[in-house]
Amino acid sequence: MTTTHELPHFSFGSAAVALAVALLAGCGGGGSETLALTPDREIKQINTDTMLNAAAIGYIAHLHAYQDTAQLLRERVLELYKTQLVSGKYACAKSGSLSLERIGDIWRYAAQDCDMINVQIQSGQWEIDASQAASAGVKVKLINVLYPKAFVDTPNIVVNGAFTFDIPGSPTPSSQGTLTYSYSNTVREYGDIRLTQRQGSSVSYDQRSITIVKSPVTSLVLTAAANAANELRVTAADGSSVSLPLNTSNAADYTLSLRNSASGSVLLTKTVSDRDMRLARIAARL
């Protein structure tokens, strides 16, 4: 059986065309003429060689910090304190249990092989502090929360972190926090997680921003930011960035857009197959 792969498709924006014209113009005349290094000609941290890797790292950061923790874990587990009002042992939705110690406005939980159907916590603790909920939000600490094989290609994942949910504000409450995901003797550190423009009373937010402080697959400090249209932009410290859609149908291609600065125009777009994007995400996760 023969397998064929489409070559990536590139389309260049006006900035790239102008650069090519400038380079050609610079080759004319005397051989001693040199071109000044301008922002459009600099080798940026996110460039044609690194844009796919940066996009995949940002995608995984958004998955870990927002979807897995601030949405799924919060909705299925961290909100239980609202109905579990006294100390004791509580059964999980499918199997296992949670032990609760409540002292005033503090809830301290410990998990024992807790299976909440779409969230599994083998062990670990978390603390809910609602003492200043009305003025400063609800504070949550995650302590060695163990996810057993969250992905088929990774071992158990240990999560630590701190979040403040439902911080009062206008027009809607916001949330912020920090997280570490540890597995395979590596650590992924996500700092300055900011979630704003909450969608009603849900755990979804239109604006999400995550700083990737530490990752075993890059030495760069990156920021992954997503908007209401579910476009994710991953930005490096020098302002270069790559953007991509978060929601695509299965087997759909991804269009990556490269910029040299926050306000700069798109220099080029690159079409990446669903298979290549999945492989890049796996590489960013391992």
Side-chain angles (χ1 to χ4, degrees):
M1 180 176 65
T2 301
T3 302
T4 60
H5 301 285
E6 291 186 5
L7 292 174
H9 171 70
F10 293 86
S11 61
F12 292 85
S14 59
V17 174
L19 174 58
V21 172
L23 289 172
L24 289 174
C27 293
S32 62
E33 185 176 355
T34 59
L35 291 174
L37 189 64
T38 66
D40 280 344
R41 296 176 191 143
E42 293 176 2
I43 301 300
K44 292 287 189 173
Q45 291 177 333
I46 298 178
N47 51 59
T48 55
D49 294 328
T50 63
M51 60 192 295
L52 177 56
N53 182 50
I57 293 169
Y59 192 106
I60 293 300
H62 184 270
L63 175 68
H64 283 169
Y66 178 59
Q67 293 172 252
D68 289 346
T69 305
Q71 285 190 303
L72 189 58
L73 183 66
R74 178 184 178 183
E75 185 175 53
R76 299 293 295 161
V77 176
L78 301 180
E79 299 276 83
L80 290 174
Y81 81 97
K82 293 180 178 179
T83 56
Q84 296 175 349
L85 303 180
V86 298
S87 300
K89 199 166 188 175
Y90 293 85
C92 296
K94 185 175 181 181
S95 61
S97 62
L98 296 174
S99 297
L100 166 63
E101 178 189 19
R102 182 182 176 187
I103 303 174
D105 290 327
I106 307 294
W107 283 252
R108 293 190 178 98
Y109 282 93
Q112 297 90 35
D113 293 317
C114 178
D115 189 340
M116 299 297 287
I117 301 176
N118 52 358
V119 176
Q120 297 180 36
I121 303 175
Q122 185 171 320
S123 61
Q125 300 84 42
W126 55 96
E127 179 180 291
I128 311 290
D129 182 350
S131 61
Q132 296 179 308
S135 60
V138 178
K139 300 183 185 301
V140 177
K141 290 181 182 178
L142 304 175
I143 307 163
N144 294 329
V145 173
L146 177 61
Y147 294 150
K149 291 190 72 64
F151 301 99
V152 295
D153 51 17
T154 59
N156 295 345
I157 296 175
V158 178
V159 181
N160 286 274
F163 262 92
T164 303
F165 293 121
D166 299 336
I167 302 169
S170 179
T172 62
S174 62
S175 297
Q176 61 188 40
T178 60
L179 282 173
T180 61
Y181 268 59
S182 304
Y183 54 92
S184 297
N185 297 316
T186 63
V187 175
R188 286 150 179 80
E189 182 179 345
Y190 305 123
D192 198 24
I193 302 166
R194 294 180 180 271
L195 311 175
T196 58
Q197 296 183 25
R198 184 173 177 175
Q199 298 174 9
S201 60
S202 72
V203 294
S204 298
Y205 294 81
D206 283 345
Q207 303 294 328
R208 294 90 72 186
S209 178
I210 303 131
T211 300
I212 303 159
V213 178
K214 183 178 182 181
S215 171
V217 291
T218 182
S219 60
L220 301 177
V221 175
L222 302 171
T223 299
N227 58 25
N230 276 319
E231 179 190 61
L232 180 70
R233 181 181 288 197
V234 184
T235 305
D238 65 358
S240 57
S241 69
V242 57
S243 58
L244 69 155
L246 281 170
N247 295 338
T248 63
S249 58
N250 290 335
D253 291 339
Y254 287 77
T255 300
L256 277 58
S257 300
L258 179 68
R259 292 176 175 85
N260 267 0
S261 63
S263 59
S265 59
V266 174
L267 295 179
L268 63 85
T269 59
K270 179 179 182 180
T271 300
V272 178
S273 69
D274 175 69
R275 176 183 179 276
D276 287 344
M277 178 56 75
R278 283 188 286 111
L279 290 175
R281 291 201 302 265
I282 291 172
R285 199 165 60 225
L286 296 180

